[in-house]
Amino acid sequence: MSITSKFIAAAVSASALSAFAAGALEKTECIAPAKPGGGFDLTCKLVQSALQEGKFIADPMRVTYMPGGIGAVAYNTVIAQKPDAANAIVAFSGGSLLNLAQGKFGRYTENDVRWLAAIGTDYGAVVVAESSPFKSLKDVMAAMKADPTKVVLGAGGTVGSQDWMKAALTARAGGVNPKTMRYVAFEGGGEALTALQGGHIHVFTGDAAEAQQQQKAGAKIRILAVMNDKRLTGDMANIPTATEQGYDVDWPIVRGFYVGPKVSDADYKVWADTFAKLMATPAYDKLRNERGLFPMAMTGAPLDAYVKKQVAGYRKLAEEFGLNVVAAK
């Protein structure tokens, strides 16, 4: 091959690589692994707005809903059917990591996707309907202690999920055996909040930001407690913590995204760099705050290390409650 030919080949190769890398931000899709209205929806909508308003993408990001198994269907679909889809990101939360620790995503573990970015954190919350006789977390616990069969709890997750875990930890902190809880599992937080307002359940153990967003949208609900060691800021500054009310329960909920295992290093870097730039802007802080999320900005290798550490911690917690635990392969 002549020097000229080599130069042309190299130029074409570089051009192709550039086009391939740029493709990550073209016709973008955010997969929310639940029905509309829950925390995954909130996560996708936040980034959809931030990317568009910050002009990081030319076309509006499409949000696709893929409910099933509290994230399991989306996880399996991306790995098996869209492993190299560079323009598709999938929302995850601390609950996703807890499910992975228990083997609820089938044969796949935390090592089977590429963890991309953490974009904020939420906290667990205890929520009731506006018409509920429960005015505080102490009221809920008193009723559960008197007769746990008369207080129906519910949330977007089965036994062992993070929403169940929040209920179990709260019950345990109040001296109630979690095995006596009446708990109803829903496919997502949106469904659970609808059931709460309809009187089908009495208490929702979900996420603070998710509940507040629904409240702002007109949901007739009341947040009794936030699961953090100190009060949150902003609109939630007036909501007492579980700790204040005598129940030592702390449950932060990371929110972020992963991509398929075969997404190229070049495309992965495009996304990671884009998220890093995006989250460093005041405009993003404003959008995140509007959705009740608190600062947590992490991409690439640091996020991967964080995820692996969290999953290991959740395995230990699951063991304490006698739940199934699966080791990473």
Side-chain angles (χ1 to χ4, degrees), residues 22-29 47-62 87 270-271 274:
L25 299 180
E26 293 173 0
K27 306 296 181 185
T28 54
E29 175 186 21
V47 169
Q48 180 189 50
S49 297
L51 287 170
Q52 187 69 26
E53 291 179 20
K55 301 189 186 307
F56 290 94
I57 54 177
D59 301 303
M61 173 175 268
R62 180 165 55 101
N87 61 347
V270 167
W271 271 118
T274 299

Side-chain angles (χ1 to χ4, degrees), residues 4-212:
T4 302
S5 297
K6 286 181 179 179
F7 178 79
I8 293 173
V12 169
S13 176
S15 174
L17 178 62
S18 174
F20 183 61
L25 299 180
E26 293 173 0
K27 306 296 181 185
T28 54
E29 175 186 21
C30 184
I31 298 172
K35 292 180 180 178
F40 290 135
D41 192 11
L42 180 150
T43 307
C44 279
K45 294 285 180 61
L46 167 57
V47 169
Q48 180 189 50
S49 297
L51 287 170
Q52 187 69 26
E53 291 179 20
K55 301 189 186 307
F56 290 94
I57 54 177
D59 301 303
M61 173 175 268
R62 180 165 55 101
V63 176
T64 303
Y65 300 96
M66 198 178 289
I70 321 298
V73 170
Y75 204 78
N76 280 262
T77 298
V78 167
I79 294 169
Q81 299 176 25
K82 304 175 73 170
D84 58 353
N87 61 347
I89 61 175
V90 191
F92 80 91
S93 72
S96 310
L97 307 185
L98 179 62
N99 284 343
L100 280 167
Q102 298 174 66
K104 290 188 175 184
F105 284 4
R107 63 193 178 94
Y108 298 120
T109 72
E110 67 273 21
N111 297 321
D112 289 311
V113 298
R114 304 194 73 172
W115 302 99
L116 178 62
I119 63 164
T121 186
D122 195 1
Y123 295 91
V126 179
V127 186
V128 297
E130 214 171 61
S131 57
S132 172
F134 301 135
K135 305 300 181 187
S136 68
L137 182 55
K138 287 186 176 181
D139 291 344
V140 173
M141 294 311 306
M144 286 184 68
K145 271 193 168 183
D147 187 351
T149 67
K150 289 188 177 178
V151 181
V152 184
L153 297 94
T158 55
V159 172
S161 68
Q162 74 158 342
D163 286 348
W164 179 90
M165 196 70 80
K166 284 179 272 189
L169 288 169
T170 302
R172 188 172 73 174
V176 175
N177 185 344
K179 290 182 179 179
T180 65
M181 290 189 312
R182 282 186 66 190
Y183 180 87
V184 180
F186 295 90
E187 181 56 43
E191 280 188 6
L193 282 167
T194 298
L196 181 73
Q197 294 170 85
H200 304 295
I201 60 173
H202 304 127
V203 180
F204 169 62
T205 50
D207 307 341
E210 176 183 352
Q212 188 188 48

Side-chain angles (χ1 to χ4, degrees), residues 263-284:
V263 169
S264 71
D265 289 345
D267 284 328
Y268 179 84
K269 187 175 187 303
V270 167
W271 271 118
D273 290 349
T274 299
F275 270 108
K277 291 173 187 173
L278 172 72
M279 294 189 288
T281 64
Y284 177 76

